[in-house]
Amino acid sequence: MKVDNMPVEETEKDIPKDEVDSDTTESKPTQKQPRRGVYLLPNLFTTAALFSGFYSIIAAMDGNFTQAAVAIFISMVLDGLDGRVARLTRTQSAFGAEYDSLADMVSFGIAPALVAFTWALAPLGKVGWIAAFIYAVGAALRLARFNTMIGSQDKRYFTGLPSPSAAAIVAGVIWAAESAGVAGEQIASIMALLVPVTGLLMVSNVKYRSFKDLNLKGRVPFVVLLIAVLVLVLIALEPALVLAGVFCAYGLWGLLGIVFKQLR
């Protein structure tokens, strides 16, 4: 019987499976499946920040605007901690980065927009919700651009106003006004300008200092310590007014930097 004239498919079918060269199977190393799971500790901080942002929306719906504003600041603190905890414990992951971005969208995008709308912008009708929407979409675009620019920009500067700082401006103004007994309807026109402008600053090309190059381990002049203590005392005395002033000044600082650069 001539095997040469036989089709290839038939010859392969006639070969028993147990006669296949064992070297071909043994030479292929068994690939270990990647372990599935997430790191608990940093994602707990991210979840807490998300919870605080969600609570801010609920508090605003109930008319507790001071609590809503404070909850946004708490989200800021927790958002700053999750990344540092991940780096210290070496538990960074792609999942954690994506989860953090989604939590930031709720805490620093949706929550400030809805709190501002409920507090002051609702009586303005279309103008009010459009102003809130501009802020929300600005936060979404800011976070998307930040994720795509990781590793390609100067770490000393942010391109555009960071979303936590933008949320702090809106929440700080609401908190300060509530502490002073000023109702949202009284400054609705101001908020209709402040909220969308803050949203546009997030997607602008204005440079803002990130302070990531600040060396906290090195020696500093004694006067720096005195200034830090003074700031803490002022925050303890008037937290709403001081925090609103600090973050509004930070928002203006980037714009003033452009003006100073043009005057040189």
Side-chain angles (χ1 to χ4, degrees):
M1 181 177 182
K2 294 183 180 181
V3 182
D4 298 339
N5 298 328
M6 204 179 250
V8 177
E9 291 82 4
E10 293 182 11
T11 58
E12 291 177 350
K13 289 180 181 177
D14 290 342
I15 299 175
K17 293 183 179 180
D18 56 351
E19 293 181 11
V20 177
D21 189 1
S22 60
D23 294 339
T24 58
T25 57
E26 293 177 359
S27 61
K28 294 181 180 180
T30 56
Q31 295 182 354
K32 294 183 179 180
Q33 294 294 329
R35 298 177 63 183
R36 295 182 178 179
V38 296
Y39 293 111
L40 179 63
L41 188 58
N43 289 312
L44 278 178
F45 281 94
T46 305
T47 304
L50 176 60
F51 173 81
S52 187
F54 181 77
Y55 174 78
S56 174
I57 299 173
I58 301 299
M61 293 171 61
D62 291 337
N64 300 320
F65 297 107
T66 299
Q67 295 181 11
V70 172
I72 291 175
F73 279 100
I74 293 175
S75 293
M76 286 184 59
V77 176
L78 294 170
D79 179 68
L81 289 175
D82 62 357
R84 285 168 174 78
V85 169
R87 286 189 291 272
L88 287 174
T89 57
R90 296 181 179 179
T91 53
Q92 298 117 309
S93 65
F95 173 86
E98 295 297 329
Y99 185 32
D100 182 68
S101 293
L102 294 173
D104 287 352
M105 183 57 203
V106 175
S107 300
F108 309 132
I110 301 299
L114 291 180
V115 173
F117 178 80
T118 307
W119 182 66
L121 300 176
L124 299 179
K126 284 186 178 181
V127 175
W129 69 257
I130 289 175
F133 175 73
I134 291 174
Y135 177 91
V137 73
L141 294 173
R142 170 71 179 85
L143 291 168
R145 185 173 69 173
F146 177 78
N147 290 339
T148 59
M149 294 179 64
I150 292 177
S152 62
Q153 62 177 349
D154 191 351
K155 292 184 178 181
R156 297 176 301 170
Y157 296 94
F158 292 120
T159 301
L161 183 65
S163 58
S165 300
I169 291 174
V170 176
V173 170
I174 295 174
W175 188 7
E178 282 286 305
S179 300
V182 179
E185 293 82 359
Q186 297 177 257
I187 58 172
S189 300
I190 297 175
M191 293 299 294
L193 181 63
L194 176 67
V195 172
V197 167
T198 306
L200 293 174
L201 282 176
M202 283 189 280
V203 295
S204 67
N205 291 322
V206 180
K207 298 293 184 180
Y208 287 90
R209 280 294 302 271
S210 65
F211 300 105
K212 291 183 179 180
D213 57 337
L214 188 62
N215 185 13
L216 298 177
K217 298 179 181 179
R219 293 178 178 271
V220 296
F222 184 72
V223 67
V224 175
L225 178 61
L226 292 179
I227 294 174
V229 172
L230 180 61
V231 170
L232 291 176
V233 171
L234 291 176
I235 292 176
L237 292 175
E238 292 290 342
L241 186 60
V242 173
L243 289 175
V246 167
F247 284 100
C248 285
Y250 180 71
L252 290 173
W253 185 254
L255 297 174
L256 293 175
I258 297 178
V259 175
F260 293 151
K261 189 176 181 179
Q262 294 294 330
L263 294 177
R264 289 179 181 177

